[in-house]
Amino acid sequence: MLDLGAQKRSAKMIVVGLITAGIFATTAVDGTAQPDPAVEADPTTPRPPFEFPPADEALLDEIQLGCWNYFLNEVDPITLMVLDRTDTNVISVAGVGFQLTALTIADERGWLAPGLAEIMTSNILRSLRDEPSNRVRGLFYHYLEPGTAKPSQDGYEEVVSTIDTALLFAGLLTASAHFGGEIGDIADQLVAEGDWASFKLGNAVDPTIRGFISLGWEDKGDVPFEQGLLPFAWADAGDEQRLTAFLAAAAPNKAFRVPIHEYYRLRRTLGTTDNGDTIAWFPWSGALFTAFFSHCWIDYASRGADNPAAFGIANRPGIDWWENSRRTAVMHRDRSIANPAGLTGFGPFAWGLSASDGEGRYIVPGMFPQLSNGQFGQPGFDHLVLQPADNWEDGTLAPYTAGSTIVFEPQNAVFALRFYRQLAQSLAPALWDDPAAGGYGFADSFRFGPNGTVEWVASDRVAIDAGPMLIMIENARSRFVWNTFESHPYIRAVRRLNPVNRTEGQLRRGTNPAVTTEQEREPR
């Protein structure tokens, strides 16, 4: 396994241009000093990319290939867009965002014949572009109809979704940066048409969410557009909120853009984990995916604590979001070891609660820190005052949960993935479908029985669960998706808003102690 005690300082910064220019500033343009951050990593904490021993590399190869097989095979034969899950005939644009990113990984790793990933991506993008009914003011309906790419009436909602559009746009920008050419032209056009500014709740009844981006819009007939906006906002600095606000700030059309200070205005509620660490947490859900979705694309690992004050936003403590997610993952594992709910199977190798299939329904379990007494600013406007209880549901575990934390806690993530793989070999064959034979690797989720056996395994696979595990493993190994996404001109333009003062070696890169060369692995 990965020995994090034997780390060496990186020989050079990775993707120097991305490290030396960014919105995650430590010093404002005018020289304003950053206040002491609330979440800041020990400078010796290793960050990706990590080197893994050969046996672990082989396991990660298998898992990534299984995830990729889903995005290759579970597709609509007309549009080539991935289906939301294996038992449905509906497309989620969030799943398509993960699929477009998966296609870049498949192309980079040679899982497809040369040129095939580009052909598939082009077909998907043309299908999205050529059916204008699937979007309103450039933002997309959550669910689309296979064959036509029109809005679907078979999903659980008929809503233009800002977060699902953000996930789609992240995939579009990654595909654009990787493939370029016509794919880049179409992808950039689709992203440029997104009018994020019109989705702001400028007249919200609740003053604490006024001006933030609405969760979405639904067609209410012949009424002004604003009346169709959902009265709920992305107002807290959770993972989905930050991704949405970040991409809204990256809009190339200034009239459609939401200013970057709105990203920093997202409320930051502080909590304390079981081992005394401070984290900023999302009070509305304790699902672990709320700590890693944005990290699939945004390279928080190369930046320390941010500085909202540099953008004129008071009462927002500086947060190192990579370290924040690492601490959140540790909290999930620690509490699974403590196992206060007394559920069978939870422990150091089986841990993490997140959204997944449960028996008979989709579930969203989660864990929460203790609300901190040391908040900043005014309740409601600057932070929330809530203390939700942990929700263990029925003890369902989803392998992608711990697996997707590999960019934060590589050793513990691989321990969990290896345990689940061994579990499939000994007690639960249905938990694993051989990728070498075209299978999808891990099942979406499973549950232990009271006697320690596995009593239930999900029959479906889900795109938005397979996607993050595939991408996060890739970033942990190579930083490929981070480097690709952040090379796009729209993202570079946002990064240039403020400099980052980083010196070589301030952030440490993870290595395999068996590697004897002084040179770190280069990004792919």
Side-chain angles (χ1 to χ4, degrees), residues 377-393:
Q378 184 178 354
F381 289 91
D382 300 308
H383 64 273
L384 295 179
V385 182
L386 297 173
Q387 187 56 70
D390 288 351
N391 173 21
W392 296 79
E393 289 283 353

Side-chain angles (χ1 to χ4, degrees), residues 23-27 33-40 237 242 263-266 268 300 303-311 316-322 498 500 502:
I23 66 168
F24 300 110
T26 57
T27 305
Q34 175 180 342
D36 291 339
V39 177
E40 192 170 31
R242 294 199 315 278
Y263 170 97
Y264 290 100
R265 193 166 71 91
L266 294 169
R268 301 186 177 194
Y300 290 108
R303 292 163 178 84
D306 62 8
N307 181 16
F311 295 86
R316 301 291 187 278
I319 304 293
D320 177 337
W321 291 107
W322 179 87
N498 219 20
V500 167
R502 287 263 176 255

Side-chain angles (χ1 to χ4, degrees), residues 1-356:
M1 299 302 299
L2 199 69
D3 181 1
L4 299 187
Q7 303 294 335
K8 67 175 183 290
R9 188 170 300 277
S10 175
K12 62 181 180 180
M13 295 299 285
I14 293 180
V15 193
V16 174
L18 298 179
I19 305 303
T20 57
I23 66 168
F24 300 110
T26 57
T27 305
V29 173
D30 62 4
T32 304
Q34 175 180 342
D36 291 339
V39 177
E40 192 170 31
D42 182 323
T44 66
T45 304
R47 302 192 182 218
F50 303 109
E51 296 279 359
F52 297 90
D56 291 342
E57 289 276 6
L59 175 65
L60 296 176
D61 281 341
E62 276 194 306
I63 294 170
Q64 283 192 285
L65 181 61
C67 294
W68 160 245
N69 285 345
Y70 177 92
F71 290 103
L72 175 65
N73 296 319
E74 296 297 327
V75 299
D76 164 37
I78 305 301
T79 67
L80 298 189
M81 285 190 273
V82 70
L83 298 177
D84 181 46
R85 53 171 53 240
T86 51
D87 77 336
T88 191
N89 195 36
V90 67
I91 295 163
S92 164
V93 296
V96 176
F98 284 112
Q99 179 193 24
L100 291 170
T101 307
L103 279 159
T104 68
I105 297 172
D107 187 56
E108 183 72 7
R109 285 196 169 268
W111 292 335
L112 290 173
L116 185 53
E118 193 167 356
I119 292 170
M120 293 179 64
T121 302
S122 179
N123 196 94
I124 292 167
L125 267 57
R126 287 172 177 269
S127 299
L128 288 168
R129 180 197 62 187
D130 294 345
E131 182 44 64
S133 70
N134 58 29
R135 53 201 184 273
V136 175
R137 299 199 176 187
L139 272 61
F140 282 77
Y141 277 90
H142 185 175
Y143 291 107
L144 304 183
E145 181 180 86
T148 68
K150 293 180 179 180
S152 173
Q153 298 180 351
D154 295 330
Y156 74 83
E157 63 180 5
E158 295 181 50
V159 168
V160 173
S161 170
T162 48
I163 177 54
D164 294 289
T165 296
L167 291 164
L168 172 62
F169 280 14
L172 287 169
L173 293 173
T174 305
S176 171
H178 179 72
F179 293 111
E182 183 188 36
I183 287 174
D185 292 341
I186 298 174
D188 291 356
Q189 173 193 342
L190 289 170
V191 172
E193 290 174 354
D195 183 359
W196 293 97
S198 66
F199 283 78
K200 291 177 63 175
L201 289 174
N203 298 310
V205 174
D206 179 358
T208 68
I209 65 171
R210 196 169 294 154
F212 287 114
I213 297 170
S214 170
L215 271 63
W217 178 91
E218 58 184 349
D219 189 351
K220 292 188 175 181
D222 190 19
V223 298
F225 174 83
E226 291 75 15
Q227 293 184 25
L229 292 175
L230 302 180
F232 311 102
W234 300 114
D236 297 278
D239 232 56
E240 293 175 302
Q241 291 87 339
R242 294 199 315 278
L243 181 64
T244 301
F246 177 81
L247 288 172
N253 185 330
K254 188 174 181 179
F256 294 168
R257 188 182 306 155
V258 174
I260 191 60
H261 70 259
E262 295 295 330
Y263 170 97
Y264 290 100
R265 193 166 71 91
L266 294 169
R267 296 180 296 209
R268 301 186 177 194
T269 302
L270 299 180
T272 305
T273 67
D274 302 349
N275 63 10
D277 284 336
T278 297
I279 60 171
W281 57 292
F282 180 47
W284 303 115
S285 175
L288 192 50
F289 84 86
T290 64
F292 58 69
F293 259 30
S294 71
H295 293 263
C296 290
W297 295 278
I298 300 176
D299 179 16
Y300 290 108
S302 288
R303 292 163 178 84
D306 62 8
N307 181 16
F311 295 86
I313 307 298
N315 299 316
R316 301 291 187 278
I319 304 293
D320 177 337
W321 291 107
W322 179 87
E323 171 66 12
N324 198 75
S325 290
R326 192 195 67 79
R327 294 181 185 184
T328 303
V330 170
M331 180 187 74
H332 271 252
R333 183 172 182 268
D334 286 349
R335 204 162 296 173
S336 293
I337 294 171
N339 195 10
L343 294 164
T344 303
F346 280 78
F349 307 126
W351 55 274
L353 297 177
S354 197
S356 70

